[in-house]
Amino acid sequence: MSKIKVFSYILLGMAVAGCNGLGKMAKNFNTVKYEVTPNPLEMHGDSVAIAVKGSYPAKYFAKKVDATVTPMVKSSTGEHNFKSVTNVGEKSTTAGNKINYKTGGSFTYSDKIAYTADMKAADVMVKASGTKGKTTKELGSMKIADGTIVTPLLVRNDEKTIVGKDQFVRIVPVSFEGTMYYLINTANVNPNFKVKECGISNKPEFAAIDSALKAMTIAPYNLKGISIMGYASPDGTEKLNTELAVNRGKASAKHLSGLFKKMKMKVSPDSSLFTLNSTNEDWAGFQNLMQAGNMPQKDMILRIVASNSDPEAREMEIKKMGKAYTEIAEGVLPKLRRSAISINGEKVGRSDEQIAALAKSNPDSLSVEEILYAGTLTQDLNEKLSIYRTAQRLYPQEWRAANNTGMILFQQGDVDGAMAEFNKADQLNSNNGIVKNNIGACYSRKGDRANAAAAYAAAGNAGPEVKENMGILDIRNGNYSSAVSNYSGVSTFNAALARLLSGDKEGAMMTLEASPDKDSAIGYYLKAIIAARNGNAAGVTDNLRNACAKDASLKAAAAEDREFIKWFNDAGFKASIQ
């Protein structure tokens, strides 16, 4: 084919395109107006959403033309298309948004696409092609917005694991309970006194009291006090019984004072170590013994006691029962003529220094609570790991040993190793909320949000760490109101970020100022973003200057962060990130 013919065909095609309106639409493409919301685009929950309103001017849209309009995010490495929309001229038979030639028209459109890292520094473009009959022509492309704000990606990976707490208690209250029995109507201490009919004997009681008193005065025990309650049985006059109860308490204290003297300890009967009280007629003890016994008439006797508020009337009624009263006098009342003695003290366990030393030299000598406690006595993660691994060896069925091993591995960045240990703990103690939370933290750190959420749900109320961990997922999923709720009462970087993303700029700044990240590099960077959203130029530059001084890598981040796009050409902004 000759060059003349080829040139003729080109001219013919241009003439056809021009006559059918496509050429004019391409020529005037820049007269079409686009409003994009938001601008810049924003990433939320791994997606980027766009809403577009396009406006065609009068006498632009040819009557029989179909136009395909495609917004896209264009970066230096690729293009990411949103769905296309079809707009058609008023005489077109194609389905689409009808645009009048004479008056022009508009269309609205929204879509969402998955976010990719290259969208962070990109332009939002629109391209359009037109078709009339069998002729198709590219109408043009133009920038319509900026992309993309990715502030949710600032969420910190600070998932919190929960320790399986030890139950070690260094000082444990201890108490010994003993009894001294007395002959009727006397308050004389008799170590050999016994009543065979009712099975009471002072001899074993005194031996136990003596042994307990000696033990309580040497390590690891500390004697704190001795309480003595003197009693009288509910027979005889009230005056006599009152004197007996008081004197029996004093006699018991005097006897114990003698025991101290044998141990070469000077403790007088009226020492503050003793606390003396008395019960002149022990009707409560009487009722308890009757209730526990099998005397044939016990129900009647108990009714007499319950129905008579006058002690003397009770006694008289019971004495009228003849044989029944004889059984009471021989088998019940002797048990009520007594002093009840409580020797109170505390058992003191090993010191921190002793436990820490034994954890290294002889861990086998430590109880499970002691060795778990030993793990809290050092800040060195490797030492902690060694202690918890030893705990696993010594106590293989203890879930806390496996859990705490996993916790240290997690803190060291070994997420796979931590997960293996948490799974061991889960097998040893299934449905444990602490373990479930820790498994969820591993899933979260691995990027598996679905399994992380399931694990956190199973963790329930294992601790405040659960809600904070759920807050991280909420931010990543774009559920900012839920994140704010989960961070209620918490002042951390992530809590401040959640408030900012939910639209609460003031709350975000207050939370950040109360957090440990108040003066950190990333803290200052977030303050700069808050300032940008408030239109505070000085706040942007001052906070970015502080952030970049603490972390130079933030200079490059700020240079392309669309949060600061309004200040990209500002001299102060440029100086703050140099």
Side-chain angles (χ1 to χ4, degrees):
M1 183 180 295
S2 70
K3 292 182 179 180
I4 295 175
K5 288 185 177 181
V6 172
F7 184 67
S8 298
Y9 287 136
I10 293 173
L11 291 176
L12 179 61
M14 292 174 63
V16 170
C19 293
N20 60 22
L22 293 175
K24 181 181 178 182
M25 291 177 70
K27 179 180 179 181
N28 297 321
F29 182 74
N30 287 337
T31 63
V32 181
K33 304 299 181 184
Y34 295 93
E35 297 176 25
V36 177
T37 305
N39 184 13
L41 297 187
E42 300 174 2
M43 185 278 287
H44 298 292
D46 300 326
S47 299
V48 177
I50 191 172
V52 179
K53 179 181 179 181
S55 299
Y56 293 105
K59 297 183 180 181
Y60 171 82
F61 209 108
K63 295 180 179 181
K64 295 184 179 181
V65 169
D66 302 333
T68 301
V69 179
T70 307
M72 64 180 177
V73 180
K74 184 176 182 180
S75 70
S76 59
T77 59
E79 296 180 358
H80 307 275
N81 290 341
F82 291 93
K83 68 183 180 183
S84 298
V85 60
T86 300
N87 299 319
V88 299
E90 59 188 81
K91 291 187 177 181
S92 171
T93 59
T94 303
N97 302 306
K98 288 284 187 180
I99 306 297
N100 185 273
Y101 171 74
K102 185 176 181 180
T103 61
S106 63
F107 69 94
T108 56
Y109 159 97
S110 62
D111 193 22
K112 180 189 294 185
I113 59 175
Y115 172 79
T116 58
D118 64 307
M119 295 182 188
K120 180 179 180 181
D123 293 330
V124 182
M125 307 289 293
V126 65
K127 59 184 178 181
S129 62
T131 300
K132 184 177 180 182
K134 295 182 179 180
T135 302
T136 298
K137 179 178 178 61
E138 295 299 323
L139 300 180
S141 66
M142 71 171 79
K143 178 180 176 179
I144 57 175
D146 292 289
T148 305
I149 288 175
V150 294
T151 301
L153 295 180
L154 292 178
V155 63
R156 305 188 75 174
N157 297 324
D158 64 351
E159 291 88 353
K160 292 176 171 57
T161 53
I162 307 176
V163 66
K165 292 182 179 179
D166 64 87
Q167 300 300 316
F168 174 71
V169 179
R170 176 169 288 106
I171 299 176
V172 181
V174 292
S175 182
F176 168 82
E177 306 294 331
T179 304
M180 292 184 183
Y181 294 105
Y182 291 87
L183 181 64
I184 186 171
N185 293 336
T186 72
N188 300 320
V189 174
N190 182 358
N192 295 314
F193 174 74
K194 65 179 179 179
V195 179
K196 185 177 181 180
E197 291 79 5
C198 61
I200 62 172
S201 174
N202 270 349
K203 192 170 185 177
E205 290 288 340
F206 276 48
I209 291 171
D210 185 48
S211 177
L213 194 61
K214 289 177 180 178
M216 204 72 80
T217 57
I218 59 176
Y221 296 97
N222 287 331
L223 178 63
K224 305 299 290 185
I226 300 175
S227 298
I228 302 175
M229 176 67 78
Y231 290 96
S233 60
D235 57 326
T237 67
E238 185 175 359
K239 179 181 178 182
L240 175 62
N241 287 335
T242 299
E243 292 176 353
L244 284 172
V246 171
N247 289 335
R248 284 168 179 170
K250 290 179 179 180
S252 296
K254 185 177 180 180
H255 177 78
L256 293 175
S257 178
L259 295 180
F260 278 116
K261 186 175 181 179
K262 290 180 181 179
M263 293 185 287
K264 297 182 179 180
M265 298 174 66
K266 188 176 181 179
V267 180
S268 66
D270 57 355
S271 167
S272 60
L273 187 69
F274 295 110
T275 301
L276 274 60
N277 290 288
S278 61
T279 300
N280 59 359
E281 292 187 338
D282 189 12
W283 283 107
F286 177 82
Q287 288 176 289
N288 290 335
L289 289 175
M290 290 301 301
Q291 190 69 52
N294 54 9
M295 188 179 295
Q297 292 178 289
K298 75 174 186 179
D299 290 339
M300 181 181 294
I301 295 168
L302 288 170
R303 283 197 296 272
I304 290 172
V305 174
S307 62
N308 285 279
S309 58
D310 182 356
E312 290 186 10
R314 291 176 185 169
E315 185 179 349
M316 292 299 295
E317 288 294 322
I318 294 172
K319 284 183 176 181
K320 291 178 182 179
M321 298 182 69
K323 183 180 179 180
Y325 179 74
T326 301
E327 290 183 43
I328 291 171
E330 293 178 353
V332 176
L333 296 180
K335 295 179 180 179
L336 301 176
R337 301 169 187 135
R338 72 204 190 280
S339 289
I341 298 169
S342 295
I343 302 174
N344 305 309
E346 57 188 23
K347 183 178 181 181
V348 182
R350 293 180 171 117
S351 68
D352 288 0
E353 293 76 15
Q354 289 173 321
I355 292 175
L358 287 171
K360 296 178 181 178
S361 63
N362 188 18
D364 295 47
S365 66
L366 297 176
S367 69
V368 62
E369 302 304 336
E370 286 176 320
I371 197 165
L372 290 175
Y373 177 68
T376 69
L377 298 178
T378 176
Q379 298 303 312
D380 185 282
L381 292 182
N382 289 324
E383 286 187 20
K384 284 178 177 285
L385 183 61
S386 177
I387 290 170
Y388 290 136
R389 287 201 185 282
T390 300
Q392 282 187 280
R393 174 180 64 79
L394 295 175
Y395 304 100
Q397 297 304 309
E398 177 53 63
W399 70 270
R400 291 173 297 173
N403 178 82
N404 295 0
T405 300
M407 183 186 70
I408 301 304
L409 291 173
F410 188 86
Q411 292 176 14
Q412 292 179 327
D414 184 1
V415 179
D416 289 334
M419 179 69 94
E421 296 297 335
F422 293 142
N423 284 332
K424 287 181 189 176
D426 192 45
Q427 291 172 1
L428 292 170
N429 192 348
S430 60
N431 301 319
N432 183 293
I434 289 174
V435 178
K436 294 298 186 185
N437 172 80
N438 296 346
I439 290 173
C442 287
Y443 277 126
S444 180
R445 192 65 62 87
K446 287 171 170 284
D448 186 344
R449 297 181 203 167
N451 276 320
Y456 294 149
N461 297 317
E465 296 87 351
V466 180
K467 283 189 173 294
E468 289 191 52
N469 289 342
M470 291 173 66
I472 294 174
L473 293 186
D474 288 333
I475 292 174
R476 290 174 177 159
N477 291 329
N479 299 326
Y480 306 129
S481 60
S482 178
V484 170
S485 176
N486 279 319
Y487 281 119
S488 177
V490 176
S491 294
T492 63
F493 177 88
N494 281 350
L497 179 62
R499 284 167 174 76
L500 177 64
L501 294 172
S502 70
D504 182 6
K505 293 174 286 188
E506 182 179 354
M509 183 62 82
M510 291 176 62
T511 300
L512 188 56
E513 289 289 359
S515 78
D517 276 303
K518 172 185 176 182
D519 297 321
S520 71
I522 195 64
Y524 278 119
Y525 193 87
L526 188 59
K527 290 179 186 179
I529 292 176
I530 296 171
R533 294 194 177 192
N534 282 325
N536 181 355
V540 171
T541 55
D542 290 346
N543 285 300
L544 279 180
R545 187 177 297 108
N546 288 329
C548 295
K550 290 176 175 286
D551 183 355
S553 69
L554 293 177
K555 295 178 180 180
E560 63 178 13
D561 192 335
R562 269 40 184 177
E563 290 277 11
F564 309 120
I565 195 167
K566 294 180 180 179
W567 287 274
F568 276 1
N569 295 319
D570 180 80
F573 174 82
K574 292 179 179 180
S576 68
I577 61 173
Q578 291 302 313

